[in-house]
Amino acid sequence: MKEHLEQICMTVNGVPRKFVIGDGVGCVSPSETLLDTIRDRLGLTAAKRSCEHGACGCCTVIVDGDAVASCMVLTADCDGSSVTTLEGLCDPVTGELSPLQKAFADNSAFQCGFCTPGIIMSTKALLDQNPNPTEKELTEALSGNYCRCISHYQVIRTVMGFINEMKRKEA
Amino acid sequence: MYEEMKKTVKVSEHEYRYIGKHGNRADAEDLVSGRQKFLDDLVMPGMLVVRVLRSPHPNAVIRSIDLSKAKALPGVIGAASYKEAPDWKCGLPNHRRVLDRQVRFVGDSVALVAAETVEIADEALKLIDVEYEVLPFVLDCEKALEPGAPQLYEEYPGNEIPKVTPFSEEPFNQIFVGDTKKGFEEAAYVNEGYMKYENMAHPLPPESPGCIAQWTSPSAVTVWYNGGAPHLQKFNTEASIPGVAVRVIACHAGGSYGSKQLIPHMILQAILMAKLTGRACKFIMDRTEHLLSYELRQGSRIRGRVGMTEDGVINAVEGMWYTDSGMSSTYAQAMTAVGLGECQAFLGKCKNWALDTKLVATNHSSQAPIRGFGGQECKSVLVPMVCTVIRKAGMDPLEVFKKNFVKAGDRYIWRDNLWWEVHSVDYTRAFEESARVFGWKDKWKGWEKPYWVSEDGRYARGVGVGVHGNADIGEDPTEGMVKLHPFGSVTLELCVGETGGAQRFAVQKMVAEVMKVPLDGVQVVDPDTHATGYDAGMIGSRGTITMGTTAVRAANDARRQLLEMAAIKLNANVEDLDTENFLVFAKSRPEVRLPWIAVCGTPEMTITGSAKYKQNFDKPNFALYLADVEVNLMTGEARLIYALEGSDVGQIIDPINIRMQAEGSFGSAGGDTGLFEEMVMDKKLGRFMTGNMIDYKWRTFNEFPPFDTVLLESEFDSEAFHALGFGEITPSPAPAAILMAVSNAIGHEITEYPCSPTVVLRAMGKIGGR
């Protein structure tokens, strides 16, 4: 009897991707996480493999507008989804940093930088939904992002400064 | 709350191009774009993954083990137990086998599998049949020393690990100086103390420790790892595998906090599997392994007596300092040696010492160097013990600490078992300025006295202080070269890893400053033992002085050679010449400038400046931590509501990076071990229960209190632009300060960590038991 193969489609950083779900060679197994798919199949290694139980946020990506821990999402459940990784924030042609990434770089809002992709993606998802958050709303949005070097204060200074700068430019 | 943060800085007299100013790190764009590669992002052709079968018992002997079913699983390329393993050992002295027949903690290695995928390797581990002879175990360091206690190593009867260090022939493991009997007789106040700091907390960098090993010939192996001390790791591994040349390349590390600078056991295991399979082997711990099987902060316990004179000088200390090293010592004897030096830096006026030490093996995971190199563990017991006598005298601890902390002219024995006289540093002003900004005088109301109680009597606030200093900032030699390339670029050949402290950026700045060239005109080579001279790595906050001095000296040497060549070309005196932006000019005629290529006459050369640095322990650094806590007297919940860290760093290299180092006092199992961070042990089963990041408590983004820094710049006698290293020690004084603050808030002395609700309510007499 032939194995039933299910095909799923998703968009990753604006590029349409198709995966075959199954246990055969080269297929995406039903238990494969989105993190494994983007890292190991697509070579998008910005999202980090860290706690693998949804506690640290190092693997955060944006799925359909929400920041999610990609280690807790099954790829098989992402049919029709739009996924954005940190790589997807850069200009796809020139590689130029987005304004938010540039703010992080200019203000050294990181130390070891391992958690930084997740922190930027959580921040990006928040600002997309609420461009003018309070500091409390920002820290709540980042409460699932672990950082052990303790760059928290500098991240908050940077993001709040970035928001003010955006407001100033808009005005 | 963050608007309230302020920073008090006395800016140094000098105006530099880069030093003291913020600039973008060379790796900034890569880190914020995801282009920066970490260890797990590296893929080698044919690479296998290594997974470990781990012991379910805290102490057992393997009676039988059968790997045949595991080896037969498709995709498994190799498997090994102690039977297949060579007698490679690591630890100090070498005692921990790459795979052993005896397993000594829950999580110890039983067998290794190398397979094509993690899933296959994990499946294979389930197919390994093991029969254990379960043995009694011991978890308490003093009980482990008792006659009849379970023994961990035949070669270490009584569970005492030998006192050897790599620093001196005669190890420095006790201070017997002066006459303590006389000291106590002359003391106005004497008190005894018994204090434990045994949270066994986890540094928990977000990136687990890992490595890739690949043999390049029968006698040479290359190792990529995510620590920051490749040369140290190289000789450490070469000592374990005689006759094999080990090349170590450090990847960008996703945090380390000391814990990943040496990963000797993991590297031996990866090298073993690479040898058995003939393939590159990657071994990265998963998070549960990392929490339950990797190295933790050492247990620290002190039992002793302290004497203090009428005017607040600590003049006699005696006692026993126990270090619980767990099942192995990676470097614990060295930490003891440094710790004894740090005791003397803290009590710099004390002339009478009888402080002995014991390093004890017990049946839990190995304890190892974590940020502070034992300084945090030492101070978290020594400061409260010293405070028992300050309390007895009713004195202000900050004033006593200020009076006693070592300064220029004082002497101590450092880890090399030699006397050193302190030069240049005096932290009195840092004490005073930090206290002023914190508002210490207003908030200190006396011992066990809150400075504020809510009207309903439900909440109370108290303050506490801790202090630390470490002369290891000048430790270990460094060799480096600065190369000037004629078309206008500079290479710094110095082995500098990056673990988050921006040390590569700091030395890049220093070379650019000396050469007066744009920052991006200086490239720092990758940290590779094949491409660089010796350097001990990112340990002990040594980078600023040791790497910095080497970089500055090498740059000056290269600059001198360049100007000497130019002097001949221009028929000028060297002293009259200068170079800037890759151009040479006479100071008297700055408008006429000669490019480096014109000076050299050919691109087929480099001008190479070289330098060496030898260690020097005459300047300890300094960190003062002031804590303000609020306690719910009904529930026992203690909360840090404000903290300040103060220091005098001589010269700030980058204001943002140094401030983040101070803020880092919360992380790496630092200050929060005073409040809630700990590995929770089931003492009946002998296993830790906190094997994931939900059970293991850590501070989330929305829980950080206001935090200030006071960083003075007194331009100390340091060739690295008058700067001292600081980052490592920022957490070290914090737990003791928090313990004192909680005690003052609740009006009862607390003598155990962390100040959890249970501990607080017990100290208040509201609940019983221990």
Side-chain angles (χ1 to χ4, degrees):
Chain A
M1 189 174 141
K2 271 193 175 178
E3 186 186 3
H4 172 69
L5 296 176
E6 185 188 349
Q7 182 175 278
I8 63 158
C9 302
M10 67 173 92
T11 305
V12 181
N13 297 336
V15 179
R17 302 281 186 177
K18 288 181 185 172
F19 300 103
V20 176
I21 307 297
D23 292 324
V25 175
C27 295
V28 171
S29 109
S31 62
E32 183 169 312
T33 64
L34 179 61
L35 174 65
D36 288 342
T37 301
I38 58 176
R39 283 183 58 85
D40 301 339
R41 293 179 188 272
L42 303 182
L44 299 168
T45 55
K48 297 302 174 204
R49 195 175 277 128
S50 183
C51 78
E52 298 190 87
H53 50 258
C56 76
C58 290
C59 64
T60 303
V61 299
I62 297 175
V63 178
D64 298 330
D66 292 325
V68 300
S70 60
C71 72
M72 300 297 285
V73 176
L74 297 178
T75 304
D77 288 340
C78 291
D79 190 28
S81 292
S82 171
V83 178
T84 306
T85 71
L86 181 66
E87 292 94 336
L89 300 191
C90 299
D91 185 289
V93 177
T94 64
E96 191 183 348
L97 301 179
S98 67
L100 180 62
Q101 288 168 298
K102 193 162 184 328
F104 271 74
D106 290 345
N107 291 285
S108 288
F110 50 79
Q111 292 176 71
C112 77
F114 195 80
C115 63
T116 305
I119 288 174
I120 294 178
M121 296 313 286
S122 293
T123 306
K124 170 72 176 160
L126 170 71
L127 296 184
D128 284 349
Q129 293 174 10
N130 175 8
N132 193 18
T134 62
E135 202 170 282
K136 190 169 186 308
E137 287 169 332
L138 173 64
T139 57
E140 288 288 334
L142 292 174
S143 61
N145 288 90
Y146 177 73
C147 165
R148 195 62 159 174
C149 298
I150 313 299
S151 303
H152 304 66
Y153 294 97
Q154 188 62 13
V155 166
I156 292 161
R157 288 188 285 258
T158 297
V159 176
M160 295 313 288
F162 172 76
I163 292 166
N164 288 333
E165 179 67 14
M166 291 295 109
K167 278 196 285 194
R168 194 186 61 77
K169 279 183 179 169
E170 281 173 17
Chain B
M1 63 181 174
Y2 295 96
E3 285 79 17
E4 296 166 16
M5 292 199 321
K6 49 191 175 286
K7 176 166 165 278
T8 306
V9 173
K10 183 263 169 189
V11 179
S12 66
E13 302 297 321
H14 285 95
E15 184 61 31
Y16 296 109
R17 272 190 176 206
Y18 309 114
I19 304 296
K21 296 172 180 168
H22 175 62
N24 281 18
R25 276 169 53 172
D27 54 1
E29 288 209 9
D30 286 347
L31 285 168
V32 303
S33 65
R35 289 193 286 266
Q36 180 65 54
K37 295 298 177 200
F38 290 83
L39 186 81
D40 197 24
D41 304 331
L42 303 184
V43 178
M44 310 286 167
M47 187 169 74
L48 305 173
V49 293
V50 175
R51 297 285 289 161
V52 186
L53 180 67
R54 298 195 174 275
S55 168
H57 305 294
N59 201 12
V61 169
I62 299 169
R63 295 286 291 271
S64 68
I65 183 163
D66 182 359
L67 305 176
S68 56
K69 283 186 274 184
K71 284 181 175 173
L73 189 71
V76 171
I77 310 300
S81 71
Y82 74 92
K83 293 177 186 172
E84 290 79 14
D87 193 28
W88 297 343
K89 293 176 184 170
C90 59
L92 188 67
N94 281 355
H95 58 275
R96 186 179 183 187
R97 287 193 66 193
V98 59
L99 285 169
D100 207 342
R101 191 177 175 210
Q102 184 175 352
V103 285
R104 298 178 175 85
F105 73 101
V106 174
D108 205 350
S109 305
V110 174
L112 303 171
V113 166
E116 286 170 351
T117 67
V118 173
E119 291 75 18
I120 293 170
D122 283 344
E123 203 58 38
L125 295 180
K126 296 176 193 163
L127 300 175
I128 298 173
D129 293 321
V130 193
E131 191 184 338
Y132 298 96
E133 178 187 343
V134 178
L135 303 172
F137 61 92
V138 61
L139 300 172
D140 183 279
C141 67
E142 286 184 88
K143 286 184 179 158
L145 294 168
E146 291 173 0
Q151 299 294 292
L152 272 81
Y153 293 91
E154 273 182 26
E155 59 268 42
Y156 304 151
N159 294 320
E160 199 170 346
I161 301 176
K163 294 173 174 178
V164 295
T165 72
F167 307 137
S168 54
E169 278 188 32
E170 187 65 33
F172 180 43
N173 51 48
Q174 52 186 209
I175 321 172
F176 281 92
V177 172
D179 182 345
T180 46
K181 185 170 179 293
K182 186 163 166 282
F184 284 119
E185 285 168 2
E186 290 170 0
Y189 308 96
V190 176
N191 215 58
E192 292 185 355
Y194 180 54
M195 194 67 210
K196 295 178 186 175
Y197 178 68
E198 297 178 342
N199 303 43
M200 312 297 179
H202 201 298
L204 204 55
E207 182 199 38
S208 297
C211 57
I212 300 170
Q214 183 160 38
W215 288 79
T216 54
S217 85
S219 59
V221 64
T222 298
V223 174
W224 292 260
Y225 91 129
N226 54 16
H231 283 277
L232 204 59
Q233 184 63 71
K234 171 187 168 67
F235 80 65
N236 187 292
T237 306
E238 287 178 345
S240 299
I241 317 177
V244 172
V246 182
R247 174 186 181 186
V248 179
I249 300 168
C251 300
H252 223 85
S256 169
Y257 326 117
S259 71
K260 289 153 60 181
Q261 311 304 47
L262 279 179
I263 57 167
H265 198 243
M266 287 184 72
I267 284 180
L268 288 184
Q269 292 184 329
I271 289 176
L272 170 61
M273 296 315 290
K275 189 161 191 77
L276 291 178
T277 60
R279 308 257 288 260
C281 282
K282 180 189 276 188
F283 176 18
I284 301 179
M285 284 189 172
D286 66 30
R287 185 44 44 94
T288 299
E289 283 181 299
H290 187 199
L291 276 158
L292 297 180
S293 304
Y294 196 62
E295 298 169 336
L296 307 171
R297 281 201 183 276
Q298 60 187 2
S300 178
R301 189 179 297 191
I302 200 163
R303 187 189 296 277
R305 197 153 68 115
V306 181
M308 185 173 74
T309 63
E310 192 70 52
D311 58 352
V313 172
I314 304 295
N315 73 331
V317 176
E318 69 175 17
M320 179 65 76
W321 176 29
Y322 302 91
T323 299
D324 179 350
S325 191
M327 59 77 66
S328 173
S329 165
T330 302
Y331 238 54
Q333 298 92 329
M335 294 158 74
T336 300
V338 174
L340 291 175
E342 291 166 337
C343 293
Q344 299 166 82
F346 170 46
L347 305 175
K349 313 300 175 191
C350 183
K351 307 294 183 202
N352 306 296
W353 292 84
L355 184 59
D356 204 352
T357 64
K358 283 189 187 295
L359 180 62
V360 189
T362 58
N363 289 109
H364 53 74
S365 44
S366 174
Q367 318 288 287
I370 314 293
R371 187 176 187 172
F373 202 63
Q376 180 175 313
E377 294 88 325
C378 170
K379 284 298 153 54
S380 296
V381 292
L382 180 66
V383 169
M385 189 175 87
V386 168
C387 283
T388 64
V389 76
I390 305 174
R391 176 184 285 105
K392 197 171 187 176
M395 291 183 182
D396 178 338
L398 192 141
E399 291 301 320
V400 175
F401 292 171
K402 184 172 72 175
K403 181 169 280 187
N404 283 274
F405 198 84
V406 75
K407 64 176 72 165
D410 293 329
R411 299 172 78 230
Y412 46 59
I413 309 170
W414 204 253
R415 68 182 206 190
D416 51 359
N417 218 350
L418 298 174
W419 280 96
W420 288 81
E421 183 173 319
V422 176
H423 286 130
S424 187
V425 296
D426 181 346
Y427 295 110
T428 304
R429 209 161 54 90
F431 268 109
E432 291 172 351
E433 188 62 11
S434 303
R436 186 190 66 75
V437 174
F438 182 81
W440 177 263
K441 280 188 181 167
D442 293 333
K443 290 179 176 174
W444 174 260
K445 302 295 181 191
W447 290 96
E448 276 79 71
K449 288 182 183 162
Y451 75 85
W452 175 87
V453 179
S454 63
E455 280 185 15
D456 60 5
R458 193 177 177 88
Y459 297 95
R461 294 176 182 171
V463 292
V465 56
V467 66
H468 185 66
N470 184 357
D472 266 8
I473 52 173
E475 69 181 333
D476 301 322
T478 296
E479 303 162 1
M481 291 192 286
V482 166
K483 290 184 173 168
L484 310 185
H485 305 284
F487 281 133
S489 68
V490 180
T491 312
L492 173 60
E493 292 187 3
L494 189 65
C495 194
V496 192
E498 184 55 71
T499 57
Q503 192 62 53
R504 288 172 64 80
F505 182 51
V507 291
Q508 182 188 16
K509 271 183 158 183
M510 290 182 194
V511 172
E513 192 77 50
V514 172
M515 297 309 306
K516 298 183 188 172
V517 297
L519 261 182
D520 61 6
V522 177
Q523 309 292 314
V524 185
V525 301
D526 291 341
D528 177 347
T529 56
H530 262 29
T532 55
Y534 182 79
D535 176 80
M538 295 308 306
I539 54 176
S541 268
R542 61 182 292 282
T544 303
I545 287 184
T546 65
M547 295 171 183
T549 299
T550 305
V552 167
R553 286 179 184 170
N556 276 320
D557 187 32
R559 181 177 178 279
R560 178 188 56 78
Q561 292 179 49
L562 172 74
L563 297 185
E564 283 174 357
M565 289 176 71
I568 295 168
K569 280 249 154 114
L570 298 171
N571 196 22
N573 290 325
V574 173
E575 297 75 36
D576 296 336
L577 299 178
D578 199 353
T579 179
E580 187 177 40
N581 296 333
F582 314 110
L583 303 168
V584 177
F585 59 95
K587 292 172 198 166
S588 56
R589 291 183 62 201
E591 67 279 11
V592 179
R593 296 182 174 228
L594 207 57
W596 287 4
I597 182 69
V599 173
C600 296
T602 171
E604 293 186 308
M605 66 173 295
T606 52
I607 296 173
T608 303
S610 62
K612 288 186 180 181
Y613 169 89
K614 289 183 180 175
Q615 68 184 8
N616 178 338
F617 297 122
D618 71 356
K619 284 182 286 295
N621 60 2
F622 172 77
L624 182 76
Y625 193 93
L626 297 162
D628 188 345
V629 304
E630 181 176 288
V631 181
N632 182 326
L633 301 174
M634 305 297 126
T635 66
E637 183 195 11
R639 223 164 40 87
L640 190 67
I641 57 171
Y642 171 59
L644 181 146
E645 184 128 39
S647 187
D648 190 331
V649 296
Q651 167 69 52
I652 290 171
I653 305 298
D654 186 292
I656 288 180
N657 292 332
I658 194 168
R659 187 163 55 178
M660 286 196 289
Q661 288 292 304
E663 290 161 354
S665 55
F666 285 100
S668 53
D672 283 334
T673 60
L675 281 173
F676 56 80
E677 254 199 71
E678 61 179 332
M679 288 291 285
V680 178
M681 167 68 79
D682 181 327
K683 291 180 180 171
K684 284 187 179 166
L685 295 174
R687 65 169 64 192
F688 286 119
M689 306 301 289
T690 38
N692 61 64
M693 289 182 64
I694 295 165
D695 290 339
Y696 187 84
K697 299 298 174 206
W698 47 278
R699 188 180 289 271
T700 57
F701 236 100
N702 50 348
E703 295 175 321
F704 280 78
F707 184 86
D708 280 343
T709 54
V710 170
L711 300 169
L712 306 185
E713 297 180 294
S714 288
E715 299 196 291
F716 296 130
D717 176 20
S718 149
E719 286 182 61
F721 292 94
H722 308 286
L724 305 183
F726 169 62
E728 182 189 40
I729 65 165
T730 64
S732 299
I738 289 166
L739 189 85
M740 186 193 297
V742 176
S743 298
N744 290 337
I746 66 172
H748 299 271
E749 184 185 2
I750 297 181
T751 57
E752 55 185 314
Y753 294 94
C755 295
S756 62
T758 305
V759 167
V760 169
L761 294 176
R762 194 156 54 216
M764 294 173 73
K766 292 193 171 186
I767 59 173
R770 278 196 74 83

